[in-house]
Amino acid sequence: MANITKKVSWSSRTDESGATGEGTPLLNGSEQPQYSRQLPGGGSLFHIGRLSTVDLEEEMTSDEDSLRGRPKEIPHNEKLLSLKYESLDYDNSENQLFLEEERRMSFIGFRCLEISRWVVCGLIGFLTGLIACFIDIAVEELAGVKYQVVKQNIEKFTEVGGLSISLILWAVLNSAFVMVGAILVAFFEPIAAGSGIPQIKCYLNGVKVPRVVRLKTLLVKVFGVICSVAGGLAVGKEGPMIHSGAVVAAGVSQGRSTSLKRDFKIFEYFRRDTEKRDFVSAGAAAGVSAAFGAPVGGVLFSLEEGASFWNQMLTWRIFFASMISTFTLNFFLSIYHEKPGDLSSPGLINFGRFESDSVAYNLYEIPIFIVMGAIGGLLGALFNVLNYWLTIFRIRYVHRPCLQVMEAMLVAAVTATVSFAMIYFSNDCQPLGPDHSEEYPLQLFCADGEYNSMATAFFNTPERSVRSLFHNQPGTYNPLTLGMFTLTYFFLACWTYGLTVSAGVFIPSLLIGAAWGRLFGILLAAISPSDSIWADPGKYALIGAASQLGGIVRMTLSLTVIMVEATGNVTYGLPIMLVLMTAKIVGDYFVEGIYDLHIKLQSVPFLHWEAPATSHWLTAREVMSSPVTCFNRLEKVGTIVDVLSNTSTNHNGFPVVVHMTGSDEPAKLCGLILRSQLIVLLKHKVFVELARSRLTHRKLQLKDFRDAYPRFPPIQSIHVSQDERECMMDLTEFMNPTPYTVPQETSLPRVFKLFRALGLRHLVVVDDENRVVGLVTRKDLARYTLGKHGLEELQLAQT
Amino acid sequence: MAPRNVNLFLVALVVGLLNGWASASSDTANLTAPELVGEMTQIPVSSHAVVAESPVFKPAESFFSLNLLAAFPDDLEISEYCTQLLHLFGQRYVTYVNCMVPSARPVKVCQNCFASYGSLGAIYHNISNEMGPGNVSCKDSLLRKDRLMLVFLLYSNLKEIWEISVCDRCVIKDKTQDYLYKGLTTDTLYFMEALNQSLTCFEKFQQGNHSELCKQCKITYRDLNELYGRMDKNGTLCIDIEDAMNVTRGLWSKKFNCSFPREETVPVIAVSCFMLFLPIIFYLSSFLHSEQKKRKLIHPKRAKSKTSLMNIQDKFS
């Protein structure tokens, strides 16, 4: 059988790996791949070397066939784990190179490292703030132009007739903006779709999501979000900020850009997953803090979502990054608003100040708030369920890029249409305020000097609508307007989230919540016996917004702090917390939060905080993948190349074993080596024979591994000649000599805890004589979930 | 109740009046305005009396028998000069308030009362800054001798009213004298002119069919509206103009019903339905024609015994 391999690139796009791939004979020699150590699972017997010349895939299918039939294809669903996701190498490989480097490094060197960490965090904060500022200004200007044009058009046609033309103009403008955004996302960088929070959550969880922290992703994300917000979709620009911050962090901390092929030769020490992940958590925090003006909320977000350890210094640095980011944004926005030096208007979304007496709350309102929390939980669950079905439909049927662009354009057009119809048929006219709080007042059929109240809600960027719902005087909206608005916006937002545009769900949720919260407040004031002023609609709008958001995203601590910081009023801490708790409890009864749903739908092997309950009876023996491909400490190059190029397995970690040649004694575990390390070794041709012959051969350093990071070349690009295949490679120096191991009887929760707390990627399962029995990876653990009928197992799939 | 001196009584009156005024911007004005005006007529008379009396206390002539104010030694009380200033302040204050109240509805506080406000400002400026004869400043003795700081309070209330109504935009300052105003700005006069045109037009066609009025006065009204819009952008609007415009707009839209009618419901509905129909077609066609994305399942290598889901569930149940 010829050695046919698929072309696997390390950052393969979704569809590539699913295709059959071109078959290219890998090596110039067309000989049979000689398969090495395969350890059969339960048995302790050790098959050695040349015993099996069968290709692994062959072996696997042949014995699985009888059990389950041919590998089948099923429609996409949530109960899958995709193969394209890998773990990050959070665990440090303490090989000899590492120890050497550490020995060489002086005390000053370590101090410099510490200082450069701070510098990087400061840079992350600064750049994230700048990006937020850019997005904000661009959206404001573009949306301003759009609304001015449409407004003038509407005014003209109100007088002479032909308003349907204005409607078409509005729809076309919206679609045009959205088309640009959707094309950017669908054709250039699909990972930039959506809010980016699920992806960053996965990254911080330890999953390497392909292409998620690239420069290209950042560009597409930033311009995509500008287009989609300016295009009038029911979206916000806050979620994408978090993603942008994360990308900035991942880029800045590396001191180079692989995409631009520029290496600044700085921060080289940080070129590994451990450091990068810490910086990414700082970047995500900076993003949150720029988006909501909530530095503490940002820190809590990244701790809640990602950082495995509560490391004091790391937390402090993250906080530094978030602070810098908020105030960079403030500073530049203050220049833009021509009040340079005024640092007090933080955040892309500014809830405004809740300080007057009418927004104080009383003890007897707490139960009302809790009821509102429950409503928010219910509505949030409804939102998530609808969006879940929609997303499944989209994954199954709307997967071609051009279809996705069309869908986004249609949504934009329909959004404009629905908004227009709402405004057209609304009879709610309100007098113009003295301070022009309405940015683009539309008069339409109202009396002169009045404006259409529905238009403040629809004919505006969502952020402004939220603010006007929070702060406008009681009586600005009548209940019918609010009711209609809530209803339409709910469905629009639900329909919009998950489109192939980069856009967040925070603002639409807030807007829906604020609308029904205000409605709630107005009704309360109407039914309360005396004409009391306690039911201030603005206050209830805030509580409604919090509960709706909590019902949809189900974040806890960080969301509370974000909301409190965004309102700038600590006394709201208690009601917001209660509301979010209630919303989460009620919502979780029905369905998960929207981010978790989308993570599931993308088949990401996501590890939650705890192993699923009732899984203690599962032991490592049942969880692990069993015959493990191992290498000898002194391994033949040919074997390594063959194993690495076998696409059907695509393993990343290989236990290294000591094996007495010639004897049948079982091999014992002595280390673990990663695919990326092997590839670097092969590239540099670190072969025993060569080292002997060439005395001048430079010794490989840790720097060589860092230079190749993070895009290690695929094995296909490394050419190994026939002679070299016969050489030997000594892995002793490079392998991690002390990998974590567990005995076979370890329970699943115990394994899980190790994985989650240490950020492991591979966990070797050994028997009582330290012989390799199996290997546990993230996918082995993530496939167990607690479903409705007890423990369920997810299936692995190629996507 | 504590025995009250005449001065204090009057002072209380004026303060009450002012407090009424401070809230006059809210809708309580209608209620309180008439009675305040009534009371105000008394003020000039009595305030005269007070000012005349206060420097030298004459118990026999006092109207109230319970006047307990004892005379202070001269050096502790206010000087003659300051008393005069205070007197003058009182007079001008009354003049200004007298002017404002009748101009409350329709609002004409800027155009009618700028002169009296200017002179009030001038006298207050004298009190607060200027040195009188013999280098006596009345600032300390009149403005901040006591907790109440009545003169300051009175003036600042009026000043606030002036500022809320942004009259400064409609009147021109007299360059030669601080705090005095020369007259209305040309913009304001021009607006009044335009307003008068519209109103005359309204009056002319008021009888009979309003649609005729809508047609005839449309041009003048539109010009007026545009002028107002321009002034709004320039920031040359004061309360007088705003109020006049509001009233005119009310006349136009509510009384004469000249707003645009909602006529094109059918085309709007048609276009909307068409737009709403598009996604349905889109989703249907992609459901029917697009091939469903399938996932290839991969069977992981496992230790052979107990990996299948069936086993798990058996064990679980």
Side-chain angles (χ1 to χ4, degrees):
Chain A
M1 176 188 151
N3 190 356
I4 305 274
T5 54
K6 283 181 218 158
K7 192 170 185 175
V8 173
S9 82
W10 277 55
S11 53
S12 64
R13 287 175 64 157
T14 335
D15 35 2
E16 271 176 20
S17 50
T20 41
E22 327 113 78
T24 41
L26 176 68
L27 304 166
N28 33 13
S30 59
E31 63 179 348
Q32 297 281 77
Q34 301 209 324
Y35 230 79
S36 80
R37 330 279 169 259
Q38 289 169 8
L39 306 173
S44 54
L45 200 80
F46 205 98
H47 286 271
I48 302 157
R50 290 133 237 271
L51 225 152
S52 64
T53 50
V54 196
D55 191 291
L56 192 84
E57 189 178 84
E58 191 94 328
E59 178 192 271
M60 187 187 77
T61 43
S62 60
D63 69 36
E64 300 287 346
D65 260 357
S66 53
L67 275 173
R68 311 188 193 184
R70 297 211 65 79
K72 49 184 176 179
E73 290 196 335
I74 59 161
H76 185 92
N77 62 44
E78 59 166 32
K79 294 201 160 79
L80 288 175
L81 289 181
S82 164
L83 275 191
K84 76 175 169 183
Y85 298 107
E86 292 166 5
S87 273
L88 294 172
D89 294 305
Y90 195 71
D91 184 36
N92 201 6
S93 167
E94 290 176 343
N95 54 19
Q96 288 184 21
L97 297 183
F98 177 78
L99 293 178
E100 242 166 65
E101 189 186 71
E102 204 177 63
R103 226 176 289 128
R104 273 204 308 274
M105 217 161 179
S106 60
F107 178 68
I108 300 292
F110 276 107
R111 294 305 285 271
C112 284
L113 264 187
E114 197 52 37
I115 291 170
S116 50
R117 280 200 186 103
W118 283 93
V119 173
V120 169
C121 281
L123 276 176
I124 291 170
F126 182 72
L127 290 177
T128 311
L130 272 188
I131 289 174
C133 185
F134 172 71
I135 293 180
D136 194 43
I137 293 175
V139 165
E140 199 135 305
E141 296 293 326
L142 277 179
V145 169
K146 187 189 88 178
Y147 286 122
Q148 277 307 333
V149 168
V150 177
K151 183 178 175 224
Q152 276 165 14
N153 191 281
I154 288 180
E155 274 167 5
K156 198 171 106 201
F157 285 115
T158 318
E159 209 173 325
V160 300
L163 271 174
S164 44
I165 297 173
S166 312
L167 163 59
I168 293 170
L169 174 79
W170 190 2
V172 167
L173 274 179
N174 268 8
S175 308
F177 275 118
V178 170
M179 184 179 75
V180 176
I183 285 178
L184 274 177
V185 173
F187 287 98
F188 294 98
E189 197 56 274
I191 198 78
S195 79
I197 294 181
Q199 284 91 335
I200 294 307
K201 247 180 117 163
C202 293
Y203 190 91
L204 293 179
N205 189 264
V207 182
K208 183 192 252 162
V209 183
R211 314 167 72 84
V212 80
V213 288
R214 295 269 184 92
L215 181 67
K216 192 171 152 199
T217 315
L218 176 66
L219 290 178
V220 169
K221 193 106 209 170
V222 168
F223 288 103
V225 79
I226 291 172
C227 289
S228 49
V229 178
L233 288 177
V235 297
K237 52 191 187 285
E238 277 65 20
M241 263 324 294
I242 296 165
H243 192 169
S244 308
V247 183
V248 166
V252 167
S253 65
Q254 304 300 299
R256 68 169 171 196
S257 163
T258 329
S259 312
L260 299 180
K261 304 207 167 43
R262 285 287 296 276
D263 192 342
F264 297 102
K265 305 273 178 206
I266 44 172
F267 308 138
E268 284 171 338
Y269 187 81
F270 302 141
R271 292 178 190 172
R272 53 199 170 116
D273 280 345
T274 320
E275 298 281 350
K276 195 166 165 183
R277 182 170 151 194
D278 285 352
F279 284 119
V280 166
S281 59
V288 175
S289 118
F292 299 97
V296 183
V299 174
L300 291 177
F301 172 82
S302 59
L303 286 177
E304 188 175 311
E305 297 304 344
S308 291
F309 311 99
W310 185 284
N311 176 334
Q312 185 214 3
M313 279 320 279
L314 174 65
T315 315
W316 187 221
R317 272 201 303 273
I318 294 177
F319 186 61
F320 175 68
S322 346
M323 249 333 165
I324 294 284
S325 126
T326 310
F327 285 92
T328 310
L329 175 67
N330 291 355
F331 181 69
F332 285 101
L333 279 187
S334 74
I335 291 175
Y336 174 67
H337 294 306
E338 287 161 0
K339 283 180 252 166
D342 175 19
L343 295 184
S344 54
S345 67
L348 288 186
I349 165 115
N350 192 347
F351 289 176
R353 296 276 159 256
F354 284 85
E355 268 160 5
S356 66
D357 287 341
S358 60
V359 294
Y361 61 96
N362 208 315
L363 186 63
Y364 56 78
E365 292 183 73
I366 297 287
I368 304 176
F369 292 155
I370 291 178
V371 170
M372 289 180 77
I375 298 176
L378 284 177
L379 285 179
L382 179 66
F383 185 98
N384 290 0
V385 168
L386 291 178
N387 193 265
Y388 169 76
W389 289 113
L390 194 59
T391 309
I392 285 203
F393 181 84
R394 279 180 178 144
I395 291 175
R396 287 188 188 167
Y397 295 103
V398 194
H399 47 79
R400 291 221 305 276
C402 44
L403 279 182
Q404 290 172 333
V405 172
M406 268 175 67
E407 190 193 9
M409 287 172 65
L410 279 177
V411 174
V414 170
T415 307
T417 311
V418 170
S419 312
F420 189 91
M422 283 299 201
I423 295 172
Y424 186 91
F425 291 107
S426 162
N427 281 324
D428 186 7
C429 293
Q430 301 290 344
L432 281 165
D435 46 356
H436 301 283
S437 48
E438 300 81 23
E439 192 79 358
Y440 315 104
L442 274 186
Q443 185 185 351
L444 255 91
F445 312 113
C446 288
D448 285 2
E450 295 190 338
Y451 65 90
N452 188 311
S453 157
M454 189 68 101
T456 43
F458 272 120
F459 196 67
N460 225 331
T461 52
E463 281 97 39
R464 276 183 203 286
S465 311
V466 172
R467 220 175 310 159
S468 65
L469 282 172
F470 283 167
H471 291 292
N472 278 3
Q473 294 297 315
T476 319
Y477 297 94
N478 76 29
L480 184 69
T481 309
L482 284 174
M484 291 303 290
F485 177 75
T486 311
L487 198 69
T488 42
Y489 212 81
F490 183 87
F491 289 109
L492 280 179
C494 189
W495 188 21
T496 309
Y497 189 74
L499 280 181
T500 323
V501 292
S502 53
V505 75
F506 261 81
I507 296 298
S509 326
L510 285 175
L511 193 48
I512 298 165
W516 66 254
R518 200 175 169 105
L519 181 65
F520 196 88
I522 293 174
L523 296 183
L524 263 187
I527 59 165
S528 62
S530 59
D531 53 344
S532 54
I533 53 144
W534 56 270
D536 177 70
K539 176 173 60 183
Y540 284 91
L542 175 69
I543 298 296
S547 72
Q548 182 67 60
L549 185 56
I552 291 177
V553 303
R554 310 281 166 74
M555 280 149 64
T556 50
L557 172 62
S558 55
L559 188 59
T560 313
V561 175
I562 287 171
M563 292 294 288
V564 170
E565 281 187 290
T567 52
N569 193 336
V570 183
T571 52
Y572 277 130
L574 178 74
I576 288 178
M577 183 193 74
L578 288 176
V579 154
L580 287 179
M581 274 168 73
T582 325
K584 185 169 167 61
I585 292 169
V586 173
D588 279 346
Y589 182 75
F590 299 100
V591 67
E592 286 169 289
I594 191 133
Y595 296 137
D596 294 317
L597 276 182
H598 277 257
I599 286 174
K600 256 191 179 176
L601 283 173
Q602 283 164 18
S603 319
V604 181
F606 189 87
L607 294 187
H608 293 273
W609 290 106
E610 302 273 344
T614 72
S615 61
H616 284 267
W617 55 270
L618 271 170
T619 61
R621 190 210 307 275
E622 285 141 316
V623 172
M624 69 193 183
S625 317
S626 196
V628 183
T629 319
C630 293
F631 287 128
N632 264 324
R633 192 202 280 262
L634 208 63
E635 187 61 90
K636 232 177 85 182
V637 173
T639 324
I640 294 179
V641 171
D642 291 342
V643 171
L644 290 189
S645 17
N646 185 340
T647 48
S648 67
T649 52
N650 201 13
H651 295 316
N652 269 301
F654 303 92
V656 181
V657 291
V658 214
H659 172 245
M660 311 300 161
T661 31
S663 74
D664 270 2
E665 244 174 70
K668 295 197 171 160
L669 176 73
C670 69
L672 184 84
I673 196 152
L674 300 175
R675 169 185 283 260
S676 58
Q677 292 173 316
L678 287 174
I679 282 181
V680 175
L681 293 181
L682 285 175
K683 207 172 117 196
H684 288 269
K685 307 213 183 301
V686 191
F687 307 143
V688 180
E689 286 79 4
L690 286 183
R692 271 188 213 130
S693 60
R694 269 188 280 154
L695 287 170
T696 52
H697 193 73
R698 188 174 67 87
K699 205 163 176 311
L700 209 60
Q701 285 180 343
L702 214 51
K703 186 178 176 303
D704 298 298
F705 291 96
R706 290 202 191 112
D707 283 344
Y709 179 82
R711 299 186 207 171
F712 298 101
I715 182 71
Q716 285 81 5
S717 71
I718 291 168
H719 296 285
V720 181
S721 71
Q722 198 59 49
D723 294 341
E724 283 168 342
R725 285 182 68 88
E726 296 303 320
C727 293
M728 299 300 275
M729 219 150 94
D730 187 4
L731 304 179
T732 321
E733 243 182 309
F734 310 105
M735 69 188 187
N736 181 4
T738 51
Y740 292 95
T741 57
V742 287
Q744 297 177 62
E745 277 72 36
T746 323
S747 70
L748 174 66
R750 212 165 251 272
V751 174
F752 198 96
K753 232 173 248 165
L754 269 178
F755 246 79
R756 183 67 220 233
L758 298 175
L760 293 185
R761 184 170 183 181
H762 302 103
L763 184 62
V764 187
V765 182
V766 292
D767 64 5
D768 45 1
E769 283 169 57
N770 204 24
R771 290 173 302 205
V772 179
V773 196
L775 196 66
V776 179
T777 59
R778 175 176 282 269
K779 278 167 210 134
D780 297 322
L781 293 177
R783 65 198 164 106
Y784 296 103
T785 57
L786 198 58
K788 285 207 174 65
H789 317 286
L791 210 56
E792 290 173 6
E793 193 181 333
L794 308 184
Q795 283 168 307
L796 283 178
Q798 254 175 8
T799 49
Chain B
M1 192 182 125
R4 207 174 254 188
N5 154 4
V6 180
N7 303 26
L8 281 179
F9 175 65
L10 284 169
V11 158
L13 250 182
V14 177
V15 170
L17 178 99
L18 281 173
N19 287 345
W21 260 105
S23 58
S25 51
S26 77
D27 43 2
T28 55
N30 292 344
L31 255 177
T32 50
E35 34 176 276
L36 286 176
V37 175
E39 279 167 341
M40 257 183 70
T41 50
Q42 302 171 356
I43 292 174
V45 183
S46 16
S47 73
H48 249 286
V50 171
V51 175
E53 273 171 25
S54 50
V56 188
F57 187 59
K58 295 172 195 158
E61 289 172 29
S62 174
F63 185 72
F64 295 99
S65 55
L66 267 178
N67 197 331
L68 294 185
L69 183 68
F72 290 113
D74 269 358
D75 55 332
L76 278 180
E77 249 310 319
I78 52 174
S79 69
E80 187 75 20
Y81 171 70
C82 294
T83 320
Q84 277 173 7
L85 279 185
L86 188 61
H87 180 195
L88 214 54
F89 178 80
Q91 280 177 335
R92 293 188 180 176
Y93 192 93
V94 169
T95 324
Y96 179 49
V97 173
N98 260 338
C99 167
M100 273 205 299
V101 175
S103 320
R105 247 355 292 170
V107 186
K108 289 197 162 100
V109 288
C110 298
Q111 32 185 325
N112 289 351
C113 307
F114 63 88
S116 47
Y117 179 76
S119 53
L120 180 71
I123 192 73
Y124 185 80
H125 178 72
N126 274 0
I127 292 176
S128 60
N129 284 336
E130 300 247 316
M131 286 302 214
N135 269 353
V136 265
S137 164
C138 301
K139 192 176 178 184
D140 289 335
S141 59
L142 290 184
L143 291 189
R144 32 189 224 201
K145 200 82 173 185
D146 50 67
R147 181 165 64 87
L148 191 58
M149 301 198 293
L150 185 65
V151 176
F152 169 77
L153 205 62
L154 291 174
Y155 180 71
S156 63
N157 279 343
L158 286 193
K159 199 173 159 202
E160 200 184 322
I161 295 174
W162 181 264
E163 275 161 8
I164 293 172
S165 46
V166 282
C167 290
D168 272 330
R169 291 177 180 173
C170 294
V171 292
I172 316 172
K173 276 210 168 114
D174 195 343
K175 291 262 166 48
T176 54
Q177 285 163 294
D178 284 345
Y179 299 97
L180 290 188
Y181 296 96
K182 230 170 23 188
L184 296 174
T185 56
T186 44
D187 279 352
T188 314
L189 292 173
Y190 186 66
F191 177 82
M192 293 299 171
E193 178 68 33
L195 180 71
N196 276 339
Q197 273 181 20
S198 290
L199 291 181
T200 346
C201 179
F202 286 177
E203 210 152 304
K204 209 162 103 193
F205 295 97
Q206 207 168 11
Q207 272 76 40
N209 199 353
H210 282 166
S211 64
E212 182 64 16
L213 181 144
C214 292
K215 218 180 283 166
Q216 295 294 333
C217 301
K218 191 173 180 182
I219 297 173
T220 44
Y221 176 76
R222 202 182 56 202
D223 290 348
L224 181 71
N225 239 336
E226 278 166 8
L227 175 66
Y228 181 82
R230 280 202 301 277
M231 290 175 76
D232 191 11
K233 255 181 216 153
N234 293 342
T236 49
L237 287 183
C238 59
I239 184 72
D240 290 16
I241 298 180
E242 285 169 23
D243 181 67
M245 193 67 215
N246 267 349
V247 173
T248 323
R249 279 175 168 172
L251 283 177
W252 175 262
S253 316
K254 301 247 166 80
K255 191 167 174 209
F256 305 131
N257 237 339
C258 297
S259 294
F260 304 111
R262 187 176 299 167
E263 280 170 339
E264 323 162 51
T265 314
V266 177
V268 169
I269 288 181
V271 174
S272 305
C273 287
F274 172 71
M275 290 285 195
L276 294 178
F277 203 56
L278 285 180
I280 298 174
I281 297 174
F282 173 80
Y283 283 118
L284 265 183
S285 70
S286 57
F287 178 71
L288 295 176
H289 297 297
S290 182
E291 56 169 322
Q292 190 173 357
K293 197 159 208 172
K294 300 274 186 177
R295 302 281 181 234
K296 256 189 230 142
L297 286 189
I298 289 168
H299 300 298
K301 299 184 290 176
R302 295 268 173 255
K304 261 169 211 138
S305 55
K306 312 146 184 172
T307 46
S308 73
L309 184 61
M310 245 184 335
N311 267 333
I312 292 177
Q313 276 174 348
D314 284 349
K315 226 170 177 177
F316 189 72
S317 57

